[in-house]
Amino acid sequence: MPFSRRHAYENAWSLAITLMASIVVFQAGDGSFGVMPESEYDGDDGAVIHTFDPHAV
């Protein structure tokens, strides 16, 4: 199920603080948004629109 941009941001933030891992929000070629751990993302860096890093000050 594709996420809206708002839903993707909400899920990414929740995952980042729960897993204490950097989470990326990316836009797929069809215009939908997805989230996943930054360490597992191997797609186009230009598709990443935001990274939530829970360790950043």
Side-chain angles (χ1 to χ4, degrees):
M1 174 172 109
F3 292 123
S4 68
R5 186 177 191 138
R6 182 182 65 85
H7 194 193
Y9 272 62
E10 290 172 356
N11 281 303
W13 173 246
S14 179
L15 281 172
I17 61 172
T18 300
L19 300 175
M20 292 305 291
S22 293
I23 304 293
V24 297
V25 177
F26 61 93
Q27 188 166 16
D30 66 357
S32 63
F33 297 91
V35 299
M36 68 182 345
E38 184 178 36
S39 62
E40 296 179 16
Y41 183 74
D42 63 357
D44 178 16
D45 288 338
V48 174
I49 58 173
H50 194 79
T51 301
F52 288 97
D53 182 357
H55 303 289
V57 176

